[in-house]
Amino acid sequence: MKSPLALFILFLIASCIPKKKEKTIQNAQNDFQKILAAYPTIDSTAQHQVLTFGTFHFDRSRDGSDVVAKEHIDISKDANQKELGAIVDLLSTFRPDKIAVEWKPTHQKTMDSLYTQYLNGNYSLEKHETFQIGFRLAKRLGHTKVYCIDNNPPFPEYINAIDDWETYADSLGHLGLWSTYDIENKRFNTFMDTIQRHLSVNAYLKMINSKKHSKRQKQLWTTGLVNVGYEGPYLGADVVARWYRRNIRLFANAKNLVTTNENLLIIYGGAHKWILDELFEATPDFQVVQFNQLQEN
């Protein structure tokens, strides 16, 4: 049987343990707060605003998309031209200092020549969104040019060698994964095709620039196709990587157009909008603005 003194000592030891533990926890929390305070974040006030205006391709002859709508909006109709004028009015409230468009920099001289002709009244605007929106807006704002930023890296030869993705996926035992992408892709594009018959140009473009549309566009790259060939040889993932590669290149072209306190408007196919928005949101000196946030007069 322990003596009263021994019991007292044991009591003191036991009572000290929780306090020691509490102190250790508190020290850890203090250390964590110190680490956060010293963390090397980039804390800078945004010098630029950027708005990526997603569009459908107005000119079907220049539409490089995998799926081209059967029911395509004819942008040349008087009613649609009037709506485009209202869209240009709305975009002008953003007051961009520079406008970037979906053409490669190798076409810059041609673009400069066409824009100069347009300013001089010697060029009738073609259907492409660069001309219908970009040229009109640039002229309205007194810009001297629009900027070509596109880049379209080729697919690797080992991907080009695949004639039938469904057959290839089946050969890997990944047909189910491919079908998930294929079914959803067809459902999405059928919907986009169908609603063109029922929406105005303004409503259709607002839909393309909505958060829901951006999320859906992203999901097409993260379901199905990316899984084909997982664990090797990753051909599906490489197709997705090539899409990222293209967009990161044009992002680099775009962000380096602006100098101090200049705002940037990017007019691009709607499929690019989500990834450009994400890249600019991660860029400390840019604030992302959405078209659907602009207020109509």
Side-chain angles (χ1 to χ4, degrees):
M1 185 172 180
K2 291 184 173 64
S3 67
L5 179 60
L7 290 172
F8 179 70
I9 292 172
L10 287 173
F11 172 77
L12 286 177
I13 293 172
S15 63
C16 288
I17 291 174
K19 292 181 180 178
K20 199 170 188 180
K21 187 175 182 181
E22 287 177 10
K23 188 174 182 180
T24 301
I25 292 172
Q26 185 62 50
N27 288 340
Q29 290 175 341
N30 291 338
D31 289 343
F32 177 65
Q33 293 302 322
K34 289 177 182 178
I35 290 170
L36 287 183
Y39 196 84
T41 57
I42 303 177
D43 298 319
S44 62
T45 303
Q47 298 180 21
H48 318 285
Q49 290 186 326
V50 58
L51 191 159
T52 298
F53 181 61
T55 72
F56 61 97
H57 291 302
F58 296 173
D59 186 353
R60 295 186 68 175
S61 68
R62 285 177 169 159
D63 191 344
S65 304
D66 294 333
V67 180
V68 179
K70 296 175 183 176
E71 299 288 336
H72 201 274
I73 295 174
D74 184 356
I75 210 70
S76 64
K77 289 183 177 180
D78 290 342
N80 293 336
Q81 285 290 302
K82 185 176 180 180
E83 287 199 45
L84 277 183
I87 289 167
V88 169
D89 289 342
L90 191 54
L91 285 171
S92 70
T93 66
F94 175 61
R95 299 192 177 280
D97 297 284
K98 290 188 171 120
I99 299 171
V101 294
E102 194 170 350
W103 291 76
K104 294 179 181 178
T106 53
H107 293 133
Q108 189 65 59
K109 287 185 179 180
T110 300
M111 193 64 61
D112 292 346
S113 176
L114 290 175
Y115 183 59
T116 299
Q117 292 178 54
Y118 173 64
L119 292 179
N120 294 332
N122 298 322
Y123 175 61
S124 180
L125 295 178
E126 299 175 60
K127 286 185 177 181
H128 197 279
E129 55 273 13
T130 290
F131 311 125
Q132 291 290 328
I133 298 177
F135 275 24
R136 288 182 180 184
L137 181 59
K139 181 179 180 180
R140 167 84 65 86
L141 298 173
H143 292 189
T144 58
K145 66 190 298 179
V146 297
Y147 295 84
C148 302
I149 62 167
D150 197 32
N151 186 277
N152 205 358
F155 285 101
E157 285 302 317
Y158 61 87
I159 291 177
N160 288 331
I162 299 176
D163 295 324
D164 187 329
W165 272 91
E166 185 172 358
T167 300
Y168 175 70
D170 192 25
S171 72
L172 298 174
H174 295 166
L175 183 57
L177 297 173
W178 163 256
S179 296
T180 300
Y181 168 83
D182 194 43
I183 292 169
E184 288 297 338
N185 193 27
K186 288 176 181 177
R187 185 167 73 95
F188 174 70
N189 284 292
T190 298
F191 173 81
M192 294 297 294
D193 187 356
T194 302
I195 61 173
Q196 286 199 42
R197 310 172 204 165
H198 307 291
L199 292 181
S200 65
V201 170
N202 186 36
Y204 192 56
L205 287 171
K206 281 185 175 180
M207 186 275 299
I208 289 175
N209 286 276
S210 68
K211 288 184 178 180
K212 181 167 283 190
H213 185 74
S214 287
K215 181 177 180 179
R216 187 66 177 82
Q217 285 282 0
K218 182 193 299 188
Q219 287 172 337
L220 288 176
W221 293 101
T222 57
T223 58
L225 179 63
V226 70
N227 301 309
V228 176
Y230 76 92
E231 294 186 341
Y234 297 103
L235 267 64
D238 286 354
V239 172
V240 176
R242 182 260 177 194
W243 176 251
Y244 274 83
R245 184 182 183 194
R246 178 185 179 189
N247 283 278
I248 289 172
R249 285 183 176 191
L250 65 92
F251 158 76
N253 287 341
K255 74 180 292 287
N256 287 290
L257 286 177
V258 292
T259 56
T260 305
N261 296 326
E262 286 189 326
N263 294 337
L264 176 65
L265 173 67
I266 302 173
I267 301 172
Y268 242 77
H272 299 265
K273 176 174 170 53
W274 69 267
I275 190 168
L276 289 175
D277 279 352
E278 287 192 355
L279 288 166
F280 276 108
E281 284 168 356
T283 309
D285 49 344
F286 279 85
Q287 176 189 7
V288 175
V289 176
Q290 297 297 335
F291 172 69
N292 291 341
Q293 294 174 339
L294 300 181
Q295 299 297 316
E296 298 182 31
N297 295 325

